[in-house]
Amino acid sequence: MPYKLRPGRMYMMPTHFGPASGPRQGPEGQRFDCQDTPRATSYSVSFLTRAEQLDALLPAGFRLAGEPLVTVTVSCLTEIEWLAGRGYNTLGVSFPAEYAGRRDRARGPFLAVLWENLADPILTGREQLGFSKIYCAIPPPVILNGETRCAADWLGFTFMDMCLTDMATVPTTEAEGNAAADKARVEAPRDGAENEHHAWMTGTLHYKYIPRTGEWGSADAEYAVLTPSAAPNRRVTAQWNGRGSVRFHRAAWRDLPTQYHIVNAFEELEQVAFRGASIVETVGGKDLSDQRILS
Amino acid sequence: MPYKLRPGRMYMMPTHFGPASGPRQGPEGQRFDCQDTPRATSYSVSFLTRAEQLDALLPAGFRLAGEPLVTVTVSCLTEIEWLAGRGYNTLGVSFPAEYAGRRDRARGPFLAVLWENLADPILTGREQLGFSKIYCAIPPPVILNGETRCAADWLGFTFMDMCLTDMATVPTTEAEGNAAADKARVEAPRDGAENEHHAWMTGTLHYKYIPRTGEWGSADAEYAVLTPSAAPNRRVTAQWNGRGSVRFHRAAWRDLPTQYHIVNAFEELEQVAFRGASIVETVGGKDLSDQRILS
Amino acid sequence: MPYKLRPGRMYMMPTHFGPASGPRQGPEGQRFDCQDTPRATSYSVSFLTRAEQLDALLPAGFRLAGEPLVTVTVSCLTEIEWLAGRGYNTLGVSFPAEYAGRRDRARGPFLAVLWENLADPILTGREQLGFSKIYCAIPPPVILNGETRCAADWLGFTFMDMCLTDMATVPTTEAEGNAAADKARVEAPRDGAENEHHAWMTGTLHYKYIPRTGEWGSADAEYAVLTPSAAPNRRVTAQWNGRGSVRFHRAAWRDLPTQYHIVNAFEELEQVAFRGASIVETVGGKDLSDQRILS
Amino acid sequence: MPYKLRPGRMYMMPTHFGPASGPRQGPEGQRFDCQDTPRATSYSVSFLTRAEQLDALLPAGFRLAGEPLVTVTVSCLTEIEWLAGRGYNTLGVSFPAEYAGRRDRARGPFLAVLWENLADPILTGREQLGFSKIYCAIPPPVILNGETRCAADWLGFTFMDMCLTDMATVPTTEAEGNAAADKARVEAPRDGAENEHHAWMTGTLHYKYIPRTGEWGSADAEYAVLTPSAAPNRRVTAQWNGRGSVRFHRAAWRDLPTQYHIVNAFEELEQVAFRGASIVETVGGKDLSDQRILS
């Protein structure tokens, strides 16, 4: 007797061993409330680039929203409940964009790519959520004489270096306020937009694409997705602001045979001006089960 | 100006940086002929189990074909051209099955799961091919006093141990013949099957499943797929046969929070009898662009 | 012209490239003051065992001092200045002992072994300091539902698991006091000892041994050493106390060919009673240049 | 009762758990004959530099012998019996030298440094043998389109790249002959040397140095050592010769805080001409228990 998929349960390949156990479905099918975990420390550096360079990285239906400001963020996550208390690190690159579909309108950071140093969340993130997650090594930050440095490499080829300096503590209440302000800025409607018929959703924007087997060049799935911005359980517990810089290193195909084109696109972005750096510590989050397709 | 996907080119997330560079599409869009590469050494152990235990691991449309013989294979691949000459290791579990769809009929080893120790081929394998690939660490085999041992772990939890002993060289021409015979056995039609209207395809069987974002429990893609058995460029350069054993180790959710159910299913398989072991060295292969949906 | 060693500078193999750069001598020969770095979080579990089992692990000149209490400590160090801001993890096993030499008398924890997950501090620690450092992997602690778990493995063989539960915050001033009390207890003179002629030094005890090349079985160096307890720059910034357990896993030679005898000695220690656990966060330390031979 | 060291047995720190188990002493005190193991594949590139640059890297008592020819060798070892069948990789830098002590005279490659990617052989090699072993990561060679590339990094900083091309098979008997010729060349006595009173020993030259604890700048041990060239069990099973290049990358202290001075010394060597490359596969070896002090 072949098995049948249980209705209402989430599955991933291999489906043969029962429902998947992952971020949005625990071993007994339960949810994780992400109340007091995970813990995260995020290191971000932003720089201004040229708008047309970012436009060229946006899929159909998207456009740049506001300043062409690229933010590169390394995050170190620990105490992740769905990983039974383990952690992993991420490296994301995003810039403000908006999406207008037939029905939906949404605005927020467009997460062009998210490297992670563990395969398990890469698989759930790509397939369940439509995050553009790929793999690299992300060693712990190196801290010396007030400077914090983060780096990322793929099998030994270091393709990103980030440096944060002159970091000054931000009072926590202010930090929470800043977070709200940041959100407001990126989510601010364009002039006149408030009069539009459809309300703008806010959150992180992605574009999901799954190729169709054997029919090379066509897709099983291809759609814009949104991570709604609401995260009521996430609290900022400490924040530092300061100056920073980030550099991507040009790669030959043989250096990064699966990622050279991604890294080189970032290396080619003109860095008109650096726009500050931050270190943010948070507790709590959400399971992203509110992730949704934009249509 | 948002970008457009180039027709006829293969894409993977993130799609924003141009066509994907991977096993079936090189940096300029070219194919890899897999003539003299990659090199592989594969360590296999087989055991007989109970048919009903394997039946329960088969998706709809599949059934066990012949003896309930499970084969566990560790492969060490090097000189992989699409990875610019790097390598990686795999751990697969398969058993003979056949698929009967509305139109297609196919027979061969059903690859229930394939662990790999590098994320890049996991992503292309899952999304492009529908292989049930997941991640684990697979250290190089340990060879002592004529015994070869392979193991696999996820973040330090060793879930599989394999031991091969009394390995005797098989003359190479015989090795090639054995490979053909193995293929024939698993691919032999059932009694009377030769009279059926539709020809049986042969190859490795898989079941692709990609969840749909936000509509939890439903799928973007769900279909059987086949890796046709033909691999004209693959030559066996050396083979040893002997005795072997393999053991999966029971895992709690906290040991393997994303894979405990997979490992435990294998641990629960009754090992009625071990059925020999082999070490096979090969050169060449194929890019698997003949992977196809079974319908 | 062959090179000459520069007087007054510290050297390590290879000596051919100039003075060593390490914990006690920076790139220009300077010292590191360890004022605001490194940061450390230490996870300790203690258990009572049988005195004769610990006695058997002491070199000539040493004896057990007080209760046969074994403390196993995992420490995660970051922001280490001599490593240019990087960190590493350690796993130590110690018990209270005292040393009486011809001239010196010293008392404190006897550090029977200290595993570290980075080779560089292992080499400086063994050769410069006489610490019994050896290598293993020490992943970051796993924290789930109020339980903290630490583990250690060598090339995939997990030989130690530690679990800390019910951890309650200790007010910081009390934490500092406890640290002093701990120190006092282990360093307390035996009855009547205060009347002895020679003052007792306090600190961590070690036994340095370097074999002599080619004269197998004889030694280039063999002497007791002391890490004096004074560490004025080290501040406890947070502490939690609670319950804990620790287990060493029996190893065959083939599991741990260079360490099986060490791990098995700990596995054989009777665990009469567990005696609590602690998590301690500290800032600052010292460069251990006060390490000295006991004679 | 404290323990006593057993006479005639080899010890390493920690000495408290019984005799060491390592390359020259197995778990029951037995030797390893290295008859059919280990297996090794070695990738070597040589270049001519300026004699005075090499002279400056030689300790007192040594001098350059013959051409200032630097050989950089990456070796991949497997099936190492004392590691219960595991393997590791090494990266060595050597050049021809001779040593004249009060009594001994020896000639052969001076092994200035030997990086290894596993701590256990580093410790036995340094302390028992006086090899200048230090740690780095040495990934498996990458082979693409007839080019073989090796690299080495320390915590992500790649400090060495080697490339071998146009490799042509050397008939095995010739390979064995070449090995003998190489040996003879480096070991050839200087003009007139054959008349000297003392016979010249041949083998690999090293300089052992162990610092003395607390008396910083002085040494517990400091002497020249020799690995005699005889290795009757070592057979060359295959060899390829061709062209090659090697490059060391300049490092700042913060890149390689314990090794920058070593790497930079190699980076500063003028590369007057490359002198060929080889890939050599061998089986068998010796346990190096004939390692001896030169006095």
Side-chain angles (χ1 to χ4, degrees):
Chain A
M1 275 296 290
Y3 66 83
K4 284 193 174 55
L5 300 189
R6 295 168 55 181
R9 298 295 288 272
M10 301 172 73
Y11 281 85
M12 298 270 291
M13 281 183 273
T15 54
H16 327 310
F17 306 92
S21 179
R24 282 157 290 285
Q25 183 177 266
E28 308 302 329
Q30 82 279 25
R31 300 264 305 270
F32 298 111
D33 66 5
C34 302
Q35 182 66 43
D36 296 319
T37 59
R39 294 178 179 276
T41 305
S42 294
Y43 307 83
S44 296
V45 169
S46 296
F47 65 89
L48 199 68
T49 188
R50 290 190 291 126
E52 65 271 28
Q53 290 189 298
L54 297 184
D55 267 332
L57 299 178
L58 286 167
F62 290 82
R63 64 182 220 181
L64 193 60
E67 270 200 317
L69 191 67
V70 176
T71 300
V72 183
T73 301
V74 170
S75 293
C76 300
L77 306 171
T78 57
E79 304 188 29
I80 299 172
E81 195 175 359
W82 72 271
L83 288 171
R86 295 167 184 82
Y88 62 90
N89 298 342
T90 72
L91 163 63
V93 181
S94 65
F95 52 89
E98 60 187 34
Y99 173 79
R102 280 170 308 178
R103 200 182 59 200
D104 295 324
R105 275 160 167 57
R107 191 175 287 131
F110 174 76
L111 186 54
V113 62
L114 185 66
W115 281 276
E116 299 190 335
N117 68 352
L118 184 65
D120 302 73
I122 293 175
L123 301 188
T124 55
R126 290 176 71 90
E127 298 179 13
Q128 296 180 352
L129 304 179
F131 274 59
S132 288
K133 295 184 174 190
I134 55 178
Y135 171 80
C136 75
I138 307 171
V142 172
I143 302 173
L144 179 68
N145 298 334
E147 284 189 0
T148 301
R149 287 168 190 259
C150 302
D153 73 276
W154 184 86
L155 301 196
F157 183 85
T158 298
F159 63 82
M160 192 281 306
D161 281 301
M162 177 191 285
C163 182
L164 300 89
T165 59
D166 303 306
M167 304 306 292
T169 309
V170 179
T172 309
T173 50
E174 189 181 334
E176 295 275 15
N178 280 355
D182 282 355
K183 204 171 293 179
R185 190 180 51 208
V186 83
E187 295 163 0
R190 292 168 300 168
D191 291 346
E194 58 270 42
N195 297 322
E196 291 178 17
H197 181 68
H198 293 292
W200 285 83
M201 291 177 282
T202 61
T204 304
L205 298 164
H206 318 260
Y207 194 72
K208 184 178 182 181
Y209 181 95
I210 300 285
R212 184 157 178 85
T213 301
E215 303 174 16
W216 310 121
S218 67
D220 274 336
E222 184 176 2
Y223 44 74
V225 287
L226 176 75
T227 312
S229 50
N233 288 351
R234 183 176 178 275
R235 289 98 67 199
V236 173
T237 54
Q239 181 169 342
W240 296 262
N241 288 346
R243 295 186 308 121
S245 62
V246 61
R247 207 181 137 204
F248 284 85
H249 302 291
R250 190 145 202 95
W253 168 75
R254 66 180 310 150
D255 297 322
L256 297 177
T258 59
Q259 306 183 5
Y260 71 100
H261 56 311
I262 301 168
V263 165
N264 288 349
F266 293 133
E267 187 266 343
E268 288 162 11
L269 291 179
E270 188 179 335
Q271 295 187 324
V272 176
F274 284 107
R275 282 289 185 85
S278 68
I279 301 177
V280 181
E281 293 181 358
T282 61
V283 173
K286 64 175 178 178
D287 74 357
L288 303 183
S289 59
D290 57 352
Q291 185 86 349
R292 51 162 293 175
I293 297 176
L294 294 173
S295 58
Chain B
M1 272 297 292
Y3 66 83
K4 284 192 173 53
L5 300 189
R6 295 169 56 181
R9 298 296 287 274
M10 301 172 73
Y11 281 86
M12 297 269 293
M13 283 182 273
T15 55
H16 327 309
F17 306 92
S21 179
R24 283 157 289 284
Q25 182 177 265
E28 307 303 326
Q30 83 278 26
R31 300 263 305 267
F32 298 110
D33 66 6
C34 301
Q35 181 65 43
D36 296 318
T37 60
R39 294 178 179 276
T41 305
S42 293
Y43 307 82
S44 296
V45 170
S46 296
F47 65 89
L48 199 68
T49 187
R50 290 190 292 125
E52 66 270 29
Q53 289 189 298
L54 297 185
D55 268 332
L57 299 179
L58 286 167
F62 290 81
R63 65 181 219 181
L64 193 61
E67 270 200 318
L69 191 67
V70 176
T71 299
V72 183
T73 301
V74 170
S75 293
C76 299
L77 307 171
T78 58
E79 303 187 30
I80 299 172
E81 196 175 359
W82 72 270
L83 288 171
R86 295 167 184 82
Y88 61 91
N89 298 341
T90 71
L91 163 63
V93 181
S94 65
F95 52 87
E98 60 187 34
Y99 173 79
R102 281 168 307 178
R103 199 182 60 198
D104 295 325
R105 275 160 166 57
R107 192 175 287 130
F110 174 75
L111 186 54
V113 62
L114 185 66
W115 280 275
E116 299 189 334
N117 68 352
L118 184 64
D120 303 73
I122 293 175
L123 301 188
T124 55
R126 291 176 70 90
E127 298 179 13
Q128 295 181 353
L129 304 179
F131 275 60
S132 288
K133 295 184 175 192
I134 55 178
Y135 172 80
C136 74
I138 306 172
V142 172
I143 301 174
L144 179 68
N145 298 335
E147 285 189 0
T148 300
R149 287 168 191 260
C150 301
D153 73 275
W154 184 86
L155 301 197
F157 183 85
T158 298
F159 62 82
M160 193 280 307
D161 280 302
M162 177 191 286
C163 182
L164 300 89
T165 59
D166 303 306
M167 304 308 291
T169 308
V170 179
T172 309
T173 52
E174 188 182 332
E176 295 275 14
N178 281 353
D182 282 355
K183 203 172 292 178
R185 190 180 52 211
V186 84
E187 295 162 1
R190 292 168 300 168
D191 293 344
E194 57 269 42
N195 297 323
E196 290 178 15
H197 181 68
H198 293 292
W200 285 84
M201 292 176 281
T202 61
T204 304
L205 299 165
H206 318 259
Y207 195 71
K208 184 177 180 181
Y209 182 96
I210 299 287
R212 184 159 179 83
T213 301
E215 302 175 16
W216 310 119
S218 66
D220 274 335
E222 184 176 3
Y223 44 74
V225 287
L226 176 75
T227 312
S229 48
N233 288 350
R234 183 177 177 275
R235 290 99 67 199
V236 174
T237 53
Q239 183 170 341
W240 297 261
N241 287 346
R243 296 186 307 121
S245 63
V246 62
R247 205 180 138 207
F248 284 86
H249 301 290
R250 190 147 201 92
W253 168 76
R254 66 182 309 151
D255 296 323
L256 296 178
T258 59
Q259 306 184 4
Y260 71 100
H261 56 311
I262 301 169
V263 166
N264 288 349
F266 293 133
E267 188 266 342
E268 287 162 11
L269 290 179
E270 188 179 335
Q271 295 188 325
V272 175
F274 283 107
R275 283 289 186 84
S278 69
I279 302 177
V280 181
E281 293 182 359
T282 61
V283 172
K286 64 175 178 178
D287 73 356
L288 302 184
S289 59
D290 56 351
Q291 184 86 348
R292 50 162 292 174
I293 298 176
L294 295 172
S295 59
Chain C
M1 274 296 293
Y3 67 83
K4 284 194 174 55
L5 301 190
R6 295 168 55 181
R9 298 295 288 273
M10 301 172 72
Y11 282 86
M12 298 270 292
M13 283 183 273
T15 54
H16 328 310
F17 306 91
S21 179
R24 283 158 289 286
Q25 182 177 265
E28 308 301 329
Q30 82 279 24
R31 301 264 305 268
F32 298 111
D33 66 5
C34 302
Q35 181 66 43
D36 296 318
T37 60
R39 294 178 179 275
T41 305
S42 294
Y43 307 83
S44 295
V45 170
S46 296
F47 65 89
L48 199 68
T49 187
R50 290 189 292 126
E52 65 271 28
Q53 289 188 298
L54 297 184
D55 267 332
L57 300 179
L58 286 168
F62 289 82
R63 64 181 221 182
L64 193 60
E67 270 200 318
L69 191 67
V70 176
T71 299
V72 183
T73 301
V74 169
S75 294
C76 300
L77 306 171
T78 58
E79 304 187 29
I80 299 173
E81 195 175 359
W82 72 270
L83 288 170
R86 296 168 185 81
Y88 62 90
N89 298 341
T90 71
L91 163 63
V93 181
S94 65
F95 52 88
E98 61 187 34
Y99 173 80
R102 281 168 308 180
R103 199 184 60 201
D104 295 324
R105 275 161 167 58
R107 190 175 289 131
F110 174 75
L111 186 55
V113 62
L114 185 66
W115 281 275
E116 298 190 334
N117 68 352
L118 184 64
D120 302 73
I122 293 176
L123 302 188
T124 54
R126 290 176 71 90
E127 298 180 12
Q128 294 180 353
L129 303 180
F131 274 60
S132 288
K133 294 184 176 190
I134 55 178
Y135 172 80
C136 75
I138 307 171
V142 172
I143 302 173
L144 179 68
N145 298 334
E147 285 189 0
T148 300
R149 287 168 191 259
C150 302
D153 73 276
W154 184 86
L155 301 195
F157 183 85
T158 298
F159 62 82
M160 192 281 307
D161 282 302
M162 176 192 286
C163 182
L164 299 90
T165 58
D166 303 306
M167 305 306 292
T169 309
V170 179
T172 308
T173 50
E174 189 182 333
E176 296 274 15
N178 281 356
D182 282 355
K183 203 171 293 180
R185 191 180 53 209
V186 83
E187 295 163 0
R190 291 168 300 169
D191 292 345
E194 57 270 43
N195 297 322
E196 290 178 17
H197 182 68
H198 293 291
W200 284 84
M201 291 178 282
T202 61
T204 304
L205 298 165
H206 318 261
Y207 194 73
K208 184 177 182 182
Y209 182 96
I210 299 286
R212 184 158 178 83
T213 301
E215 303 175 15
W216 310 121
S218 67
D220 274 336
E222 184 176 3
Y223 44 74
V225 287
L226 176 76
T227 311
S229 50
N233 287 350
R234 183 176 177 275
R235 290 97 67 199
V236 173
T237 54
Q239 183 169 342
W240 297 261
N241 288 347
R243 296 184 310 121
S245 62
V246 61
R247 206 181 138 206
F248 284 85
H249 301 291
R250 189 144 202 96
W253 168 74
R254 66 180 310 149
D255 297 322
L256 297 178
T258 59
Q259 306 183 6
Y260 71 100
H261 56 311
I262 301 169
V263 165
N264 288 349
F266 293 133
E267 187 267 343
E268 287 162 10
L269 290 179
E270 188 179 333
Q271 294 187 324
V272 175
F274 283 107
R275 282 290 186 83
S278 68
I279 302 176
V280 181
E281 292 181 358
T282 61
V283 172
K286 64 176 177 177
D287 73 357
L288 302 183
S289 60
D290 57 351
Q291 185 85 349
R292 51 162 293 175
I293 298 175
L294 294 172
S295 58
Chain D
M1 271 296 292
Y3 67 84
K4 282 192 175 55
L5 300 189
R6 295 167 56 181
R9 297 296 288 273
M10 301 171 73
Y11 281 85
M12 297 269 293
M13 283 184 271
T15 55
H16 327 309
F17 306 92
S21 179
R24 283 157 289 284
Q25 182 176 265
E28 307 302 327
Q30 83 278 25
R31 301 261 307 266
F32 299 111
D33 66 5
C34 302
Q35 181 66 41
D36 296 319
T37 59
R39 294 178 179 276
T41 304
S42 293
Y43 308 82
S44 295
V45 170
S46 295
F47 66 88
L48 199 68
T49 188
R50 290 190 291 124
E52 65 270 29
Q53 289 188 297
L54 297 185
D55 268 332
L57 300 178
L58 286 167
F62 290 82
R63 64 181 219 181
L64 193 61
E67 271 200 319
L69 191 66
V70 176
T71 299
V72 183
T73 301
V74 169
S75 293
C76 300
L77 307 171
T78 57
E79 303 187 30
I80 299 172
E81 195 175 359
W82 72 270
L83 288 171
R86 295 167 184 82
Y88 62 91
N89 298 341
T90 71
L91 163 64
V93 181
S94 65
F95 52 88
E98 60 186 36
Y99 173 79
R102 281 169 308 178
R103 199 182 59 198
D104 296 324
R105 275 160 167 58
R107 190 175 288 129
F110 175 75
L111 186 54
V113 64
L114 185 66
W115 281 275
E116 299 190 335
N117 68 352
L118 185 63
D120 302 74
I122 294 176
L123 302 188
T124 55
R126 291 175 71 90
E127 298 179 13
Q128 294 181 353
L129 303 179
F131 274 60
S132 288
K133 294 184 176 190
I134 55 178
Y135 172 80
C136 74
I138 306 171
V142 172
I143 301 173
L144 179 68
N145 298 335
E147 285 189 0
T148 300
R149 287 168 191 260
C150 302
D153 72 275
W154 185 86
L155 301 196
F157 183 85
T158 298
F159 62 82
M160 192 282 306
D161 281 302
M162 177 191 286
C163 181
L164 299 90
T165 58
D166 302 308
M167 305 306 292
T169 308
V170 180
T172 309
T173 51
E174 188 181 333
E176 296 274 14
N178 281 355
D182 282 356
K183 203 172 292 179
R185 190 180 53 210
V186 83
E187 294 162 1
R190 292 167 300 168
D191 292 344
E194 57 270 42
N195 298 322
E196 289 179 15
H197 182 68
H198 294 291
W200 284 84
M201 292 177 280
T202 61
T204 303
L205 299 165
H206 318 260
Y207 195 72
K208 183 177 182 181
Y209 182 95
I210 299 287
R212 185 159 177 83
T213 301
E215 303 176 15
W216 310 120
S218 66
D220 273 337
E222 185 177 2
Y223 45 73
V225 287
L226 177 74
T227 311
S229 49
N233 288 350
R234 183 177 177 275
R235 290 99 66 200
V236 174
T237 54
Q239 183 170 342
W240 297 261
N241 287 348
R243 296 186 307 122
S245 63
V246 62
R247 204 179 139 210
F248 284 86
H249 301 289
R250 190 145 202 94
W253 168 76
R254 67 180 309 151
D255 296 323
L256 297 178
T258 60
Q259 306 184 6
Y260 71 100
H261 56 311
I262 301 169
V263 165
N264 288 348
F266 293 134
E267 189 266 343
E268 288 162 12
L269 290 179
E270 188 179 334
Q271 295 188 326
V272 175
F274 283 107
R275 283 288 186 84
S278 69
I279 302 176
V280 182
E281 293 181 359
T282 62
V283 172
K286 64 175 178 178
D287 73 356
L288 303 184
S289 61
D290 56 351
Q291 185 85 348
R292 51 161 293 175
I293 298 176
L294 294 172
S295 58

